[in-house]
Amino acid sequence: MAIVELRDIRKSFRMGEGELEVLHGVSLSVERTEFIAMMGPSGSGKSTTMNILGCLDTPTSGVYLLDGREVALLDRDELATVRNGMIGFVFQGFNLLQRTTALANVEMPLLYSGVGLRERHRRAMEALARVGLDDRMRHDPSQLSGGQQQRVAIARGIVNRAPILMADEPTGNLDSRTSDEIMKLFQELNEEEGITIILVTHEPDVASYAKRIIHFRDGVIISDEKNKNVRRSVA
Ligand code: ADP
Ligand code: MG
Protein backbone atom coordinates (compact mmCIF):
# COMPACT_ATOMS: atom_id res chain seq x y z
CA MET A 1 0.00 0.00 0.00
CA ALA A 2 1.21 3.49 -0.84
CA ILE A 3 2.12 5.64 2.17
CA VAL A 4 0.97 8.71 0.24
CA GLU A 5 -1.55 8.78 -2.58
CA LEU A 6 -3.05 11.76 -4.40
CA ARG A 7 -5.92 11.06 -6.79
CA ASP A 8 -6.83 13.76 -9.30
CA ILE A 9 -6.16 16.65 -6.91
CA ARG A 10 -7.35 20.10 -7.94
CA LYS A 11 -6.72 23.29 -6.03
CA SER A 12 -8.23 26.72 -6.60
CA PHE A 13 -7.59 29.94 -4.78
CA ARG A 14 -10.09 32.75 -4.50
CA MET A 15 -8.85 35.73 -6.48
CA GLY A 16 -11.00 38.84 -6.08
CA GLU A 17 -14.34 37.97 -7.71
CA GLY A 18 -13.32 34.64 -9.18
CA GLU A 19 -11.34 31.48 -8.58
CA LEU A 20 -7.95 30.61 -9.98
CA GLU A 21 -7.22 26.91 -10.39
CA VAL A 22 -3.51 26.22 -9.85
CA LEU A 23 -3.50 22.40 -9.64
CA HIS A 24 -5.40 20.75 -12.50
CA GLY A 25 -5.64 17.09 -11.49
CA VAL A 26 -2.47 15.85 -9.83
CA SER A 27 -2.17 12.10 -9.17
CA LEU A 28 0.80 10.67 -7.34
CA SER A 29 1.56 7.53 -5.40
CA VAL A 30 4.56 7.17 -3.08
CA GLU A 31 5.64 3.92 -1.44
CA ARG A 32 7.48 3.59 1.85
CA THR A 33 11.26 4.23 1.65
CA GLU A 34 11.05 6.14 -1.63
CA PHE A 35 13.05 9.35 -2.04
CA ILE A 36 11.32 11.68 -4.49
CA ALA A 37 12.17 15.15 -5.71
CA MET A 38 9.42 17.40 -7.10
CA MET A 39 10.86 19.84 -9.61
CA GLY A 40 9.54 22.52 -11.92
CA PRO A 41 9.69 26.25 -12.55
CA SER A 42 8.50 28.83 -10.05
CA GLY A 43 4.70 28.90 -9.92
CA SER A 44 4.24 25.38 -11.30
CA GLY A 45 2.44 24.13 -8.18
CA LYS A 46 5.18 22.36 -6.21
CA SER A 47 4.56 24.09 -2.89
CA THR A 48 0.78 23.91 -3.29
CA THR A 49 1.13 20.14 -3.76
CA MET A 50 3.55 19.89 -0.84
CA ASN A 51 1.19 21.84 1.44
CA ILE A 52 -1.59 19.39 0.60
CA LEU A 53 0.73 16.40 1.17
CA GLY A 54 1.71 17.89 4.53
CA CYS A 55 -1.94 18.42 5.50
CA LEU A 56 -1.22 22.14 5.80
CA ASP A 57 -3.82 22.89 3.14
CA THR A 58 -6.81 21.05 1.68
CA PRO A 59 -7.54 20.28 -1.97
CA THR A 60 -10.57 21.76 -3.73
CA SER A 61 -11.36 18.32 -5.15
CA GLY A 62 -9.77 14.90 -5.41
CA VAL A 63 -8.72 12.41 -2.77
CA TYR A 64 -5.68 12.33 -0.52
CA LEU A 65 -4.87 9.04 1.23
CA LEU A 66 -2.18 9.22 3.91
CA ASP A 67 -1.14 5.74 5.01
CA GLY A 68 -4.44 4.50 3.59
CA ARG A 69 -6.61 6.99 5.48
CA GLU A 70 -8.63 9.59 3.60
CA VAL A 71 -7.38 12.86 5.08
CA ALA A 72 -10.61 14.79 4.33
CA LEU A 73 -12.59 12.41 6.56
CA LEU A 74 -10.44 12.96 9.66
CA ASP A 75 -11.60 15.38 12.35
CA ARG A 76 -9.20 18.02 13.66
CA ASP A 77 -7.75 15.91 16.48
CA GLU A 78 -7.37 12.83 14.31
CA LEU A 79 -5.67 14.91 11.63
CA ALA A 80 -3.22 16.43 14.15
CA THR A 81 -2.38 12.97 15.50
CA VAL A 82 -1.93 11.42 12.06
CA ARG A 83 0.15 14.35 10.82
CA ASN A 84 2.44 14.39 13.90
CA GLY A 85 2.89 10.64 13.76
CA MET A 86 3.42 10.36 10.02
CA ILE A 87 5.20 13.51 8.84
CA GLY A 88 8.25 15.55 9.78
CA PHE A 89 8.89 18.89 8.04
CA VAL A 90 11.95 20.83 6.97
CA PHE A 91 11.59 24.34 5.54
CA GLN A 92 13.78 26.56 3.40
CA GLY A 93 14.19 29.19 6.12
CA PHE A 94 14.94 26.63 8.87
CA ASN A 95 12.11 28.08 11.06
CA LEU A 96 13.99 27.64 14.33
CA LEU A 97 13.06 29.54 17.48
CA GLN A 98 15.71 32.19 18.17
CA ARG A 99 17.32 32.50 21.62
CA THR A 100 16.41 28.84 22.13
CA THR A 101 18.99 26.06 22.20
CA ALA A 102 19.28 23.50 19.42
CA LEU A 103 18.20 20.88 21.95
CA ALA A 104 15.02 22.79 22.92
CA ASN A 105 14.21 23.41 19.25
CA VAL A 106 14.46 19.71 18.46
CA GLU A 107 12.37 18.78 21.52
CA MET A 108 9.48 20.98 20.35
CA PRO A 109 7.51 18.39 18.31
CA LEU A 110 7.79 15.92 21.22
CA LEU A 111 6.21 18.47 23.51
CA TYR A 112 3.17 18.52 21.22
CA SER A 113 3.11 14.72 21.19
CA GLY A 114 3.01 14.65 25.00
CA VAL A 115 6.39 12.92 25.51
CA GLY A 116 7.82 13.38 29.04
CA LEU A 117 10.82 15.59 29.84
CA ARG A 118 13.54 12.96 30.21
CA GLU A 119 12.44 11.08 27.10
CA ARG A 120 12.30 14.38 25.19
CA HIS A 121 15.91 15.11 26.11
CA ARG A 122 17.03 11.62 25.26
CA ARG A 123 15.36 11.54 21.86
CA ALA A 124 16.35 15.09 20.92
CA MET A 125 20.00 14.33 21.78
CA GLU A 126 19.80 11.16 19.72
CA ALA A 127 18.37 13.09 16.73
CA LEU A 128 21.03 15.80 17.02
CA ALA A 129 23.72 13.12 17.16
CA ARG A 130 22.19 11.56 14.01
CA VAL A 131 22.71 14.81 12.10
CA GLY A 132 26.25 15.25 13.45
CA LEU A 133 25.58 18.01 15.97
CA ASP A 134 26.35 16.24 19.28
CA ASP A 135 28.68 19.10 20.19
CA ARG A 136 26.29 21.95 19.40
CA MET A 137 23.24 21.03 21.49
CA ARG A 138 23.44 24.06 23.79
CA HIS A 139 24.03 26.56 20.98
CA ASP A 140 21.36 29.03 19.88
CA PRO A 141 20.57 29.31 16.15
CA SER A 142 22.48 32.64 16.04
CA GLN A 143 25.61 30.73 17.07
CA LEU A 144 25.27 28.21 14.25
CA SER A 145 26.04 28.36 10.51
CA GLY A 146 23.24 28.04 7.96
CA GLY A 147 24.12 24.41 7.33
CA GLN A 148 24.16 23.66 11.06
CA GLN A 149 20.80 25.40 11.49
CA GLN A 150 19.33 23.24 8.73
CA ARG A 151 20.74 20.16 10.47
CA VAL A 152 18.95 21.22 13.65
CA ALA A 153 15.75 21.59 11.61
CA ILE A 154 16.27 18.10 10.13
CA ALA A 155 16.82 16.69 13.63
CA ARG A 156 13.53 18.35 14.62
CA GLY A 157 11.91 16.78 11.54
CA ILE A 158 12.95 13.22 12.47
CA VAL A 159 12.64 13.39 16.27
CA ASN A 160 9.06 12.08 16.25
CA ARG A 161 10.30 9.06 14.25
CA ALA A 162 7.70 9.78 11.62
CA PRO A 163 8.07 7.58 8.53
CA ILE A 164 7.91 10.55 6.12
CA LEU A 165 10.15 13.61 5.94
CA MET A 166 8.94 16.47 3.72
CA ALA A 167 11.18 19.35 2.72
CA ASP A 168 10.32 22.41 0.57
CA GLU A 169 13.48 23.92 -0.95
CA PRO A 170 15.61 22.87 2.07
CA THR A 171 18.83 24.04 0.43
CA GLY A 172 17.41 27.29 -0.96
CA ASN A 173 19.30 29.42 1.58
CA LEU A 174 22.57 27.46 1.45
CA ASP A 175 25.71 27.63 -0.69
CA SER A 176 26.35 24.72 -3.04
CA ARG A 177 28.87 22.91 -0.83
CA THR A 178 26.60 23.08 2.21
CA SER A 179 23.67 22.01 -0.01
CA ASP A 180 25.59 18.89 -0.95
CA GLU A 181 26.20 18.07 2.73
CA ILE A 182 22.53 18.50 3.53
CA MET A 183 21.47 16.37 0.56
CA LYS A 184 23.91 13.66 1.61
CA LEU A 185 22.24 13.68 5.02
CA PHE A 186 18.77 13.26 3.44
CA GLN A 187 20.17 10.40 1.39
CA GLU A 188 21.56 8.69 4.52
CA LEU A 189 18.28 9.10 6.38
CA ASN A 190 16.52 7.51 3.43
CA GLU A 191 18.94 4.63 2.90
CA GLU A 192 19.96 3.87 6.48
CA GLU A 193 16.81 4.72 8.45
CA GLY A 194 14.27 3.93 5.74
CA ILE A 195 12.64 7.34 6.02
CA THR A 196 10.45 8.22 3.02
CA ILE A 197 11.62 11.58 1.68
CA ILE A 198 9.55 13.99 -0.38
CA LEU A 199 11.51 17.02 -1.44
CA VAL A 200 10.72 20.13 -3.47
CA THR A 201 13.52 21.84 -5.34
CA HIS A 202 14.00 23.78 -8.55
CA GLU A 203 17.70 22.83 -8.70
CA PRO A 204 18.68 19.76 -10.78
CA ASP A 205 21.83 19.26 -8.65
CA VAL A 206 19.71 18.92 -5.52
CA ALA A 207 17.12 16.67 -7.19
CA SER A 208 19.88 14.37 -8.45
CA TYR A 209 20.21 12.82 -4.96
CA ALA A 210 16.63 11.49 -5.15
CA LYS A 211 15.68 8.03 -6.44
CA ARG A 212 12.69 9.38 -8.37
CA ILE A 213 12.14 12.75 -10.00
CA ILE A 214 8.76 14.32 -10.76
CA HIS A 215 8.44 17.40 -12.97
CA PHE A 216 5.59 19.90 -12.62
CA ARG A 217 4.55 22.48 -15.17
CA ASP A 218 1.55 24.81 -14.98
CA GLY A 219 -0.16 22.81 -12.25
CA VAL A 220 0.19 19.32 -13.71
CA ILE A 221 2.79 16.56 -13.52
CA ILE A 222 4.54 16.33 -16.90
CA SER A 223 6.99 13.54 -16.04
CA ASP A 224 7.56 11.06 -13.25
CA GLU A 225 10.67 8.90 -13.62
CA LYS A 226 13.17 6.80 -11.75
CA ASN A 227 16.48 8.65 -11.42
CA LYS A 228 18.92 6.33 -13.20
CA ASN A 229 21.93 8.34 -12.10
CA VAL A 230 21.54 8.96 -8.36
CA ARG A 231 24.21 11.34 -7.18
CA ARG A 232 26.74 10.15 -4.63
CA SER A 233 28.57 12.80 -2.72
CA VAL A 234 32.33 12.31 -2.84
CA ALA A 235 32.92 14.05 0.50
P1 ADP B 1 5.91 26.67 -6.81
O1 ADP B 1 6.11 26.18 -5.40
O2 ADP B 1 6.06 25.60 -7.85
O3 ADP B 1 6.77 27.86 -7.12
P2 ADP B 1 3.24 27.37 -5.90
O4 ADP B 1 2.61 26.07 -5.62
O5 ADP B 1 3.73 28.17 -4.74
O6 ADP B 1 4.40 27.18 -6.97
O7 ADP B 1 2.22 28.27 -6.71
C1 ADP B 1 1.48 27.79 -7.82
C2 ADP B 1 0.54 28.91 -8.29
O8 ADP B 1 -0.44 29.12 -7.29
C3 ADP B 1 1.22 30.24 -8.52
O9 ADP B 1 0.66 30.82 -9.64
C4 ADP B 1 0.89 31.02 -7.27
O10 ADP B 1 0.84 32.39 -7.54
C5 ADP B 1 -0.48 30.49 -6.91
N1 ADP B 1 -0.75 30.53 -5.46
C6 ADP B 1 -0.07 29.86 -4.50
N2 ADP B 1 -0.58 30.12 -3.28
C7 ADP B 1 -1.62 30.98 -3.48
C8 ADP B 1 -2.57 31.63 -2.62
N3 ADP B 1 -2.56 31.42 -1.30
N4 ADP B 1 -3.48 32.43 -3.19
C9 ADP B 1 -3.51 32.64 -4.53
N5 ADP B 1 -2.66 32.05 -5.39
C10 ADP B 1 -1.73 31.23 -4.88
MG1 MG C 1 7.44 26.85 -3.89
Side-chain angles (χ1 to χ4, degrees):
M1 186 187 67
I3 193 165
V4 155
E5 187 175 355
L6 300 179
R7 290 186 191 153
D8 199 22
I9 294 288
R10 291 172 184 270
K11 177 68 182 177
S12 302
F13 292 108
R14 197 157 298 140
M15 290 296 282
E17 303 289 287
E19 297 245 315
L20 177 70
E21 188 178 88
V22 302
L23 293 182
H24 314 291
V26 169
S27 297
L28 172 66
S29 181
V30 180
E31 304 290 328
R32 277 180 192 261
T33 75
E34 282 202 275
F35 180 175
I36 76 167
M38 303 198 291
M39 297 198 68
S42 179
S44 58
K46 305 181 297 294
S47 293
T48 303
T49 302
M50 189 66 130
N51 290 342
I52 291 169
L53 288 172
C55 308
L56 305 170
D57 202 355
T58 52
T60 308
S61 70
V63 173
Y64 176 21
L65 300 172
L66 176 56
D67 202 28
R69 277 165 292 198
E70 187 169 352
V71 169
L73 303 181
L74 302 175
D75 68 30
R76 233 176 55 158
D77 288 349
E78 288 170 334
L79 180 61
T81 304
V82 169
R83 189 178 53 201
N84 277 339
M86 292 297 297
I87 306 170
F89 292 100
V90 177
F91 303 95
Q92 175 172 358
F94 319 139
N95 292 26
L96 300 174
L97 293 178
Q98 299 303 310
R99 291 177 294 281
T100 304
T101 63
L103 189 61
N105 267 288
V106 174
E107 284 179 17
M108 210 63 73
L110 298 171
L111 202 62
Y112 297 125
S113 306
V115 177
L117 179 74
R118 289 172 65 98
E119 181 69 4
R120 283 206 304 275
H121 276 317
R122 204 184 62 71
R123 283 218 234 155
M125 288 194 286
E126 191 181 282
L128 281 163
R130 186 65 190 83
V131 302
L133 286 181
D134 331 45
D135 56 345
R136 295 287 189 279
M137 299 200 186
R138 304 288 171 185
H139 287 57
D140 288 354
S142 66
Q143 300 168 312
L144 298 170
S145 69
Q148 289 171 331
Q149 289 184 59
Q150 194 58 304
R151 283 175 189 273
V152 174
I154 292 170
R156 184 184 56 189
I158 63 172
V159 76
N160 257 333
R161 298 175 182 158
I164 308 172
L165 189 58
M166 297 188 181
D168 194 343
E169 305 274 8
T171 62
N173 290 0
L174 303 174
D175 63 65
S176 66
R177 206 184 122 218
T178 309
S179 290
D180 283 338
E181 288 169 13
I182 291 295
M183 290 315 300
K184 186 160 166 272
L185 177 57
F186 278 114
Q187 201 170 47
E188 281 172 20
L189 291 172
N190 174 249
E191 292 179 355
E192 294 166 19
E193 317 290 335
I195 298 174
T196 307
I197 296 183
I198 302 177
L199 174 108
V200 163
T201 182
H202 62 273
E203 295 175 71
D205 279 356
V206 170
S208 65
Y209 285 88
K211 294 174 183 164
R212 174 177 163 197
I213 301 179
I214 294 170
H215 282 270
F216 282 75
R217 190 180 296 159
D218 298 332
V220 295
I221 290 175
I222 56 163
S223 72
D224 180 347
E225 288 171 341
K226 182 180 159 69
N227 180 9
K228 295 192 194 74
N229 200 5
V230 173
R231 181 149 168 207
R232 298 281 156 195
S233 174
V234 285

